Amino acid sequence: MKSLLIIQGQNSPELLERLLRIVRHRGFSVQNLQAETSENEQELHLTLTVHSDREISLLTKQLEKVFGIVKVATLSQEAMVKASA
């Protein structure tokens, strides 16, 4: 099942590496990744589309524990279909 994650965190060189490592270790594959920094380059905003047969909460619970992550929001495949209709 595909899920969309919206992640906000502190901009640091190692944050993206940590996030991708957690995604891989939890059995998810990245379908799409968009990243941008705020105007003052202190915050990082990520939109990540992942795919797996596993429950998305297994991933989000781990991402929320990562140092530098401020917020993690999810949108499931069902909600994405409704939003595009």
Side-chain angles (χ1 to χ4, degrees):
M1 177 169 71
K2 281 188 181 180
S3 295
L4 179 73
L5 298 172
I6 301 168
I7 303 168
Q8 295 178 355
Q10 299 169 353
N11 188 17
S12 66
E14 60 277 348
L15 182 64
L16 185 58
E17 182 182 342
R18 285 183 191 146
L19 291 173
L20 293 175
R21 189 176 331 126
I22 291 170
V23 169
R24 181 173 49 92
H25 282 274
R26 292 292 171 213
F28 290 81
S29 63
V30 175
Q31 301 289 310
N32 189 12
L33 172 66
Q34 295 178 350
E36 60 183 40
T37 58
S38 61
E39 289 181 16
N40 61 7
E41 296 188 10
Q42 297 295 317
E43 296 177 3
L44 181 65
H45 302 280
L46 295 166
T47 304
L48 185 66
T49 305
V50 294
H51 180 268
S52 180
D53 293 333
R54 304 185 82 188
E55 187 67 36
I56 191 66
S57 64
L58 295 172
L59 179 59
T60 57
K61 287 179 184 178
Q62 289 299 310
L63 292 177
E64 290 170 349
K65 296 177 185 179
V66 174
F67 178 77
I69 295 294
V70 177
K71 182 180 178 183
V72 178
T74 62
L75 189 62
S76 67
Q77 185 177 19
E78 296 168 5
M80 288 190 296
V81 170
K82 289 179 183 178
S84 66

